[in-house]
Amino acid sequence: MKHNQIKLLLFMAFIVLRPFFLLCLLVLLTCTASLLSHDEECLALFQFKRTIHHQNYDADGFQKFESWSNTSNSDCCLSNGVVCRKGHVIGIDWSGRNLTGVINSSSTLFELAHLQILNLSMNNFVESRIPPDIARLKQLRSLDLSYSGFNGHIPNEFSHLMLLSSLDLSRNPLKLQNPGLEYLLKNMTSLEFLDLSGVDISSSVPRFLANFSSLRHIELRDCQLQDEFPSAIFHLPKLKHLSMGNNSNLTGFLPEFHNTSLLEKLYLFSTGFAGIIPESISNLNHLKVLSLQSCHFSGHIPGSLPNLTQLTYLGLSENELAGLVPSLVSLSKVTILDLAYNKFEKGSMYGWINKLTNLNELYLDSMNIHEEILPYLANLTKLSIVSMSQNFVFGSIPSSFTNLTQLIVIDLKINQLQGQIFSSFLQFKSLEYLTIGYNKFNGIVGLESFLGLNKLEVLSIDQNSLSFVTTSNYTNATLPELSLLGLSSCNLKEFPAFLRFQTKMEAIALRYNEIEGLVPNWIWNNSQETLQMIDLANNFITGFDQHPQFLPWVSLEFFDMSYNKLQGRLPMSPQTIVAYDVSNNYLNGEIPQWICELKFLQFLDLSSNKMTGTLPSCFGNLYNSLSVLDLKQNSFHGPMMNICTQGSPLKKIDLSENQFSGQVSKSLADCIKLEFLSLTANSFEDVFPLWLGTLPNLQVLILRSNKFYGAIQGLSGISPLFLKLRIIDISNNSFSGQLPHKSFQTWNAMKSVYQGRSAAMGSVIPFTSFGTFPFTYSMTLTTKGVKLEYKKILNIFVAIDLSCNNFEGQIPQSLQDLQGLESLNLSNNHFTGHILPSLGNLKYLESLDLFQNELSGQIPQQLLQLGFLSILNVSFNHLDGHIPQGKQFNTFESNSYLGNPGLCGKPLSKECEKFKVLLPPTSSNEYEALMPSDIIDWMVILLGVGSGLIIGIVIGNLLYARYGDWFIERLGMRNDSWVRPLRNSRKN
């Protein structure tokens, strides 16, 4: 019975499981069929090799990849770079073989189902994309396609390669498509090595990477990473190499480190990492490389950092580190030390440097060093680079400095070094780069001081007190082959003759010399293929020998001949030009059509010449590249035309002192990057261009001396306008009407006082080979009838000039909110009412001009609070009463108050009647009650009311006789022994 039951159960199980058995058999047969035999794998590999080639071997530029004969006796496992196991191909390493060709989905490479290692790095598959069929290689443990030219998107099928322990796709023009890095890596839980550097990832770093406990190496440099970096990744137990550099939108902070960390190399340069460097960084006992340059770290260098005795590379430059630099004498293994461009305090000692005898590169630029530091370098004989520019290093170049015979780079510019140089550098036979400009070196120097330095490429001795002597006793064989020469401000009278023999120059700077006459024709013939920059500004050059119609340098990007005596037409530049400056010469004619063809032009300055005509209609071609347009002080005329197109990069437009007419071009509304606009002294005839207030970056607006007219309406509207405006000058026009009390309520940039370090307004122009070219904005403003030129505009300067118009009504109350205001000019209008007492709250106000209005009442005592006020003009109004006394008011002369017959008191000769002395407001915290008790005040008032004015005056005089001296002292009518300085140090 039981036996029959067992048979029945077995039969039923067979019936139920039969489909499953059949399915398993089918899968087994399919898988077996898909697995190739050894010969079939060799054939597949052979067919793959036939689709790729060597580059640049035969006459046609290609050669077939080395192959074996496809015979029955051939064995692919014996081929170079192929690894087999148990008859199957498990590894291919064809890296660095200069291979090219097309790899697509039909490639037989993907039939190698046993393949575990594939390395095609450092080849040239520029015609290929990574096929999604790569996911068929499910046994892959290591994939390296770095530096091989693959392009396009990384297929999502990559996520199926779940056994990968090493993935390197770095330095290919690849882009990771949605859903991003998280999707790509989510299944690769066995990863040990990950390098996607240079791949456009454009997403955040997945937090689950902190759970991939096998990770030893993570490199995601230059990947456009975003958002905050998961700090838990720092604590991966096996992590030795972490590189996230060059991701400016990647933020994060350094956590507290554990002493169990194995981290050896940490690269976070050029990211958004911020905060302090924690003291626990000393727990990274194995750390050899710490690269934190160009981040936002602040605070002090941690005192524990010298405990990282295994460090060979320390990079902390371009952060916001402060305090004193600690002694790093214990970092004896350091070969590269970079602390430049921080905010360290004066007073750090640097004697410990002489103990770092393994140093190869030393960067201490812009570190506020006030020390004679060069003698400390005497023992550092391995040094190849010394860079200490932009400090206060003093003293002369010591003789011990010549011990550093391995030096390749010496950068000591912008310091306080002095003495003569003569042959100070002749010992540096490997020297390639020497810049000692902007110091106090003196004496006579010639090229003899640098002869024998055959490797020298860059020589810059600008802006010293040197006189460079030129001779013609040189031959091409004795001269170094320079690429950059800087001899600005070297008392040159002529072009150095040795330039005749320089054929590979890239940059020449000879500004601020006394070179006269014509530019010699041999200048044009040299370095025609290589010269990218020529700066001959601030000389006495009148023209060009043989009058060339065009500049012959085919790679020229920077051309500056401003402040010379050039005449005639504009010299034609090549189409590579980026910055073209011929301002302050005597050039004439119209703007030529060829300028419109300069598609890389970003900086164009034709100002202060004698040019005429209208703007060419093709000028609009420039607005996709142009950042700076300066045409001031010429005789251009006609309409403004369309200046901008949508998305235009223009930041500065200066058309002042010409003869332009008509309306302001509405195309300016497309200049969303515009910071500076000056239309001064033209004939523009228009209403106030209120729509300029929508420009999000506009900081300077100057419309002075035109024909603008009408009331300014809309300033107090709902929409915020002129949010970043800090300087406005609309003087000498025909504006009229009242200014509403809320006119300035949205001028937010004027409301706050800039707390950071002051700097000149301007921008930078990038170049291909020379970094960036900084330029500063300039302007003119009028104060007390005197035109003042601001060659630099500090970013803390705030000014309003509404003078010489027909404004009327009261002074707008909203002016009191502009706490950053330094200059206010409302003169020559028809303002009425009182001077606002609340102007006394503008504590940084330095100039207040209310000349020739119809203001009445008294000068508010609250203006005594303006401790920086150095210019005051309230002349020709209807003011009366006592002039405030004390502090800055003691510095003003009588011409500040002319034409107000009701005013009295110093500095006017008219004395005030004693009973009319104006009492300061008792509500002010700065002033106390003027009498010992309020009783006396009320006695005078009551007596005057009850017994008549005469009795009140008599009693008042009796009280004055008793308390007169005390009265005068409390009013401050005696000479003050202290007057607050006109300016404070916040602009330093």
Side-chain angles (χ1 to χ4, degrees), residues 434-644:
L434 174 61
T435 61
I436 57 173
Y438 295 87
N439 277 283
K440 297 180 179 180
F441 292 115
N442 55 53
I444 297 174
V445 65
L447 200 62
E448 297 85 1
S449 300
F450 311 102
L451 290 179
L453 304 180
N454 295 328
K455 296 183 179 181
L456 191 63
E457 296 180 7
V458 174
L459 174 61
S460 175
I461 61 175
D462 312 69
Q463 303 292 335
N464 282 283
S465 297
L466 296 169
S467 293
F468 192 89
V469 178
T470 63
T471 68
S472 56
N473 299 326
Y474 306 117
T475 64
N476 197 25
T478 61
L479 294 172
E481 195 167 60
L482 297 174
S483 62
L484 184 150
L485 176 66
L487 296 179
S488 297
S489 190
C490 284
N491 294 307
L492 289 170
K493 308 294 184 183
E494 59 184 5
F495 285 91
F498 69 86
L499 287 178
R500 291 173 179 267
F501 304 104
Q502 299 295 318
T503 59
K504 296 183 179 180
M505 294 290 298
E506 296 177 13
I508 301 174
L510 304 178
R511 65 165 48 216
Y512 292 112
N513 281 292
E514 300 174 17
I515 301 174
E516 298 180 347
L518 301 176
V519 178
N521 61 350
W522 50 262
I523 286 283
W524 311 117
N525 298 327
N526 288 348
S527 306
Q528 289 189 3
E529 300 293 327
T530 59
L531 194 67
Q532 299 175 44
M533 174 189 133
I534 184 164
D535 184 354
L536 305 177
N538 298 88
N539 281 284
F540 302 99
I541 299 171
T542 56
F544 310 95
D545 193 15
Q546 299 182 2
H547 305 286
Q549 295 181 349
F550 63 94
L551 304 176
W553 303 291
V554 296
S555 301
L556 192 66
E557 296 185 14
F558 181 96
F559 180 72
D560 189 352
M561 291 197 69
S562 59
Y563 292 93
N564 275 283
K565 296 184 177 182
L566 295 179
Q567 301 178 22
R569 306 281 177 155
L570 294 180
M572 184 176 179
S573 69
Q575 292 196 4
T576 54
I577 202 74
V578 175
Y580 185 93
D581 188 351
V582 291
S583 61
N584 292 276
N585 280 284
Y586 301 100
L587 296 167
N588 55 38
E590 299 184 358
I591 296 177
Q593 293 287 322
W594 56 260
I595 278 190
C596 302
E597 301 172 7
L598 304 178
K599 58 183 179 180
F600 300 109
L601 187 65
Q602 297 184 45
F603 183 96
L604 177 62
D605 191 347
L606 309 180
S607 63
S608 301
N609 279 286
K610 297 183 178 182
M611 300 187 69
T612 58
T614 60
L615 298 183
S617 58
C618 65
F619 223 45
N621 297 345
L622 298 176
Y623 300 141
N624 290 325
S625 63
L626 203 61
S627 292
V628 175
L629 175 63
D630 194 339
L631 304 179
K632 68 174 177 288
Q633 291 182 340
N634 280 284
S635 297
F636 295 117
H637 62 270
M640 189 174 183
M641 303 179 60
N642 290 334
I643 291 290
C644 296

Side-chain angles (χ1 to χ4, degrees), residues 13 45 62 164 334 360 426 480 619 967:
L45 191 57
F62 298 100
L164 275 179
V334 165
N360 182 257
L426 288 179
F619 223 45
F967 214 93

